[in-house]
Amino acid sequence: MKQNVWRTYVLPFIGGILLLYGARMAGGCTSGHMMSGMMQGSVSGYAFAASVFVVAIPTALIVTRLRQRKESL
């Protein structure tokens, strides 16, 4: 049980802190901007996250359909 708690909660938490810290040190990359901005309550972070998902979901659906069509040929 103790190892599950460690793997499930502690390691991802530490990884998230390191990821956010690295993104802030580097001036922020796209995913760092989204995560750091949202953690700080920045409006631009939320706007960017919404934009990413608005574009990413239809793109993933289109790519999946194209792959399925290619496999059926």
Side-chain angles (χ1 to χ4, degrees):
M1 180 72 173
K2 205 170 201 176
Q3 188 175 8
N4 278 345
V5 170
W6 179 256
R7 281 185 162 184
T8 304
Y9 299 109
V10 177
L11 287 178
F13 183 76
I14 293 169
I17 288 173
L18 291 174
L19 183 85
L20 291 173
Y21 180 72
R24 292 301 292 167
M25 278 184 58
C29 60
T30 54
S31 59
H33 175 69
M34 183 169 43
M35 290 183 286
S36 291
M38 290 177 70
M39 293 297 247
Q40 294 174 4
S42 169
V43 174
S44 66
Y46 286 105
F48 180 72
S51 301
V52 167
F53 284 105
V54 163
V55 172
I57 292 171
T59 302
L61 293 172
I62 290 168
V63 168
T64 301
R65 286 187 184 153
L66 289 174
R67 282 186 183 169
Q68 288 174 348
R69 187 178 297 165
K70 184 179 176 183
E71 289 174 359
S72 68
L73 291 178

